[in-house]
Amino acid sequence: MSVESLVTRITDQLVRLSQVTHADVATAVELVTDLLGSAGQRPLAAGPAWDSDVSDDHTPVEFSLAFDPAGPPVLRILGEAAVTDPASPADLTPALAFLRRQAARHAVSMSRLERVRDLFTTDRPQGTFGMWHSLILRTTPEFKVYLNPEIHGVARSVPLVQEGLGRLGAGAAYRAVCEQALRPGEIGRGDRLTFFALDLRDTDTARIKLYVSQHDAEPADLARAAAVVPGADPAEVVAFCESAAGFAGPYDRRPIISSYTFVAQAARPVGYSVYVPIRSYVADDRQAYDRVHTLLGRYGFDTDRLEAAVAAVTSRPLEDGVGLVAHVSLRIGPPSPGVSIYLSSEAYGVGVARRRIPAH
């Protein structure tokens, strides 16, 4: 009898997800196998090789489907390169080694990353991660990296992000976010600078993104966060969060996350997304599924693909756990407005369903 490993579990899920999204499964499996390295061969029964923060059960891979009006949803993989020293999960060495290997095989541009990499380099990295990878499975795979603004500590995250975005020509737009979108006195505190992200390609649509975790946010805080972006409707953002979470705030469990898309020399961010950690605001995955199903229908997307995607990842009853449907997000602005859903592999465990959600 064969022993199931992490990579065989992820591969089986990718094969089924590719049937929903039309992704190139061979490329997806190749990339994930390389990313996980020897940790991918580790038997699932042995538990995770390190406490990856990508998912609640420490599986270092999360799936997402980006729904947009142009066609079938795009399959994406958020993953963490195998950590060589569990005591130092923020070390960039394994993540950079993965990128260099992929640069020799695919269209990966390291130019913008190299302009800021020294800011995220230290002999004493802090935090639960240094770099994560997003693998976007279009006809030709695309690559994105998430860097940790708090790698030198929370207190240094604000000047680090300011310097990084300034080097990339987005200093003016970042100032607009700080002055007009985030809560006064809360930047780096209640509004934590969580991810500094870069598309690794040389095209006009390549993005620079900043993700902000907004702890204990009220609806007015979410409206303020969105209003700085031209074309974003603050009322729509507030309504989306209320529908996903099931109430009107304050959102005092896992924080709502706002992300801003920047391009060089623009005075304001050109895109905005809001992410609701729906697993923290439901009793079980049946409730999460129903809410996401409603949101997809509201925005005119094919809800049958949601059902197929969930079935591709798990066969368990949705009432038997919580955390499979981890996040749901609303994307506003270029390059592809729409709704995204985030699904946990649950390779190492299933979150315990709650009998009820605490009242507000």
Side-chain angles (χ1 to χ4, degrees):
M1 182 176 178
S2 62
V3 176
E4 187 178 21
S5 67
L6 175 59
V7 77
T8 55
R9 166 68 175 243
I10 298 298
T11 294
D12 288 345
Q13 292 169 321
L14 283 172
V15 168
R16 294 189 291 270
L17 283 168
S18 70
Q19 296 169 357
V20 181
T21 62
H22 305 165
D24 181 345
V25 68
T27 299
V29 171
E30 170 203 316
L31 290 170
V32 169
T33 301
D34 189 358
L35 183 71
L36 295 176
S38 60
Q41 307 305 320
R42 181 182 173 93
L44 285 182
W50 75 99
D51 290 345
S52 176
D53 211 29
V54 167
S55 56
D56 294 343
D57 69 335
H58 303 309
T59 304
V61 169
E62 180 187 68
F63 308 113
S64 64
L65 281 77
F67 288 78
D68 66 62
V74 175
L75 177 61
R76 304 177 299 187
I77 301 167
L78 177 65
E80 185 170 25
V83 168
T84 53
D85 179 6
S88 186
D91 177 23
L92 296 182
T93 304
L96 289 170
F98 169 77
L99 279 183
R100 293 187 185 105
R101 291 192 299 272
Q102 297 312 315
R105 303 170 186 168
H106 300 287
V108 178
S109 171
M110 303 279 282
S111 59
R112 290 192 303 169
L113 176 59
E114 288 301 324
R115 289 166 63 184
V116 299
R117 183 163 66 90
D118 65 292
L119 299 174
F120 299 88
T121 302
T122 172
D123 293 333
R124 296 181 179 179
Q126 299 183 42
T128 58
F129 82 103
M131 180 189 292
W132 288 347
H133 299 279
S134 177
L135 313 174
I136 304 162
L137 299 170
R138 303 186 190 277
T139 305
T140 300
E142 298 174 4
F143 297 80
K144 175 182 174 183
V145 291
Y146 295 83
L147 295 159
N148 181 5
E150 299 181 351
I151 199 163
H152 298 281
V154 175
R156 295 180 62 183
S157 62
V158 173
L160 186 154
V161 167
Q162 182 177 7
E163 174 67 18
L165 290 174
R167 290 185 188 183
L168 297 171
Y174 174 60
R175 286 192 296 274
V177 168
C178 291
E179 294 168 3
Q180 302 173 38
L182 304 184
R183 292 173 287 187
E186 291 298 317
I187 303 171
R189 297 181 178 85
D191 289 342
R192 295 276 289 272
L193 308 183
T194 305
F195 302 112
F196 185 107
L198 297 170
D199 287 342
L200 301 183
R201 62 182 190 271
D202 289 323
T203 68
D204 292 340
T205 58
R207 300 164 300 174
I208 310 161
K209 297 191 74 174
L210 176 65
Y211 296 71
V212 183
S213 296
Q214 301 192 274
H215 295 261
D216 301 316
E218 301 271 5
D221 301 322
L222 303 179
R224 175 187 172 95
V228 72
V229 181
D233 181 350
E236 180 183 14
V237 169
V238 170
F240 180 89
C241 293
E242 181 174 352
S243 295
F247 67 103
Y251 301 106
D252 54 1
R253 296 168 206 151
R254 281 188 177 89
I256 305 292
I257 296 177
S258 289
S259 82
Y260 298 93
T261 302
F262 302 102
V263 296
Q265 311 313 320
R268 291 176 177 269
V270 299
Y272 174 80
S273 298
V274 64
Y275 301 76
V276 179
I278 192 169
R279 67 196 186 280
S280 294
Y281 296 95
V282 294
D284 56 39
D285 282 307
R286 171 56 62 189
Q287 191 174 29
Y289 177 93
D290 290 344
R291 289 184 191 169
V292 171
H293 188 280
T294 297
L295 285 168
L296 287 174
R298 182 181 302 169
Y299 284 91
F301 295 116
D302 182 358
T303 54
D304 289 344
R305 291 187 187 269
L306 171 65
E307 180 179 4
V310 168
V313 175
T314 189
S315 60
R316 70 165 174 84
L318 295 181
E319 296 80 4
D320 287 358
V322 66
L324 173 73
V325 185
H327 290 84
V328 61
S329 72
L330 175 66
R331 307 186 310 277
I332 299 173
S336 57
V339 173
S340 295
I341 61 167
Y342 299 78
L343 300 174
S344 299
S345 169
E346 298 186 329
Y348 293 115
V350 175
V352 178
R354 310 174 182 100
R355 289 188 177 181
R356 63 182 180 87
I357 293 298
H360 282 76

